[in-house]
Amino acid sequence: MKKTLIALCMLFVAALNVQAQEVKASQETEAEKQARAMELMAIKIDMEVNKELFMQVTQNTYVSEEPKAVIMAMIVPETYDNAKAKLEGNMPPDFKVTNKGEKMMNGVNVIYMEGTAEAQGTKVNSTIYCLKRDADSCIMFMGMSEVGADKKYTDAIAAAANSVVKKQ
């Protein structure tokens, strides 16, 4: 199930990273774009995670087996405006949005989306935050927890998100 939840997170990222058809002045090749995306995703995100509830599986990914939950953060090669447009239009069809918009969090403007999805028969609550990192990249935070999970897991996800969303 750990792999399924991580795959679901990656599906969200893939939906965001679908490259626009616009031509950039720099004329980056597809290979250059992919190399930059991999380079950015390898950067460690400063994040506080409750390690009594979540175990680390990669540099920026933490999971809980029971209940099923995931915390994941990464840097994506998108401008804030492009990320906002993609989050509004490119979500997987099985993701049911319950709340979305922009808000201030820790003095930072963030795009957020909340909803539910299903992975291998397990329904999960999902939260996504996106904040501007620099002119060409954003930090994405995703937290997912099994519907009905103890409040301490949703609180831990919120605390991890809060630790990621801060002024750069």
Side-chain angles (χ1 to χ4, degrees):
M1 186 62 184
K2 173 175 36 173
K3 289 180 183 178
T4 303
L5 288 173
I6 292 171
L8 190 57
C9 285
M10 296 310 289
L11 182 62
F12 287 117
V13 172
L16 179 72
N17 280 329
V18 172
Q19 296 297 321
Q21 295 300 314
E22 62 188 314
V23 178
K24 290 186 176 182
S26 66
Q27 296 290 324
E28 279 184 304
T29 67
E30 194 61 36
E32 289 170 330
K33 289 177 188 176
Q34 289 177 351
R36 180 163 187 269
M38 295 303 289
E39 178 183 308
L40 289 174
M41 290 197 312
I43 296 172
K44 178 151 179 54
I45 305 290
D46 184 26
M47 176 170 42
E48 295 172 22
V49 176
N50 182 335
K51 295 195 177 129
E52 290 179 13
L53 300 177
F54 292 88
M55 68 177 184
Q56 188 170 8
V57 292
T58 68
Q59 180 170 249
N60 297 315
T61 305
Y62 301 81
V63 299
S64 164
E65 291 288 338
E66 191 59 43
K68 303 194 179 8
V70 174
I71 293 173
M72 179 183 226
M74 68 188 65
I75 300 170
V76 294
E78 288 292 341
T79 66
Y80 184 80
D81 290 336
N82 283 350
K84 181 178 178 181
K86 289 178 180 182
L87 277 174
E88 290 176 357
N90 274 347
M91 296 313 294
D94 63 336
F95 183 74
K96 306 297 180 229
V97 176
T98 57
N99 194 11
K100 69 178 182 175
E102 271 185 280
K103 66 180 178 180
M104 290 299 284
M105 188 173 167
N106 298 334
V108 178
N109 198 39
V110 297
I111 305 162
Y112 72 95
M113 187 173 292
E114 299 169 348
T116 59
E118 195 164 320
Q120 289 189 341
T122 301
K123 194 169 185 179
V124 293
N125 291 316
S126 303
T127 304
I128 302 167
Y129 290 103
C130 177
L131 64 142
K132 182 178 179 176
R133 177 177 174 255
D134 59 30
D136 322 319
S137 64
C138 291
I139 296 174
M140 296 289 294
F141 173 89
M142 287 161 273
M144 298 180 179
S145 63
E146 188 173 2
V147 170
D150 191 292
K151 185 176 180 334
K152 65 184 177 185
Y153 288 89
T154 55
D155 289 348
I157 290 169
N162 212 21
S163 75
V164 170
V165 179
K166 56 189 170 239
K167 290 186 180 182
Q168 300 296 311

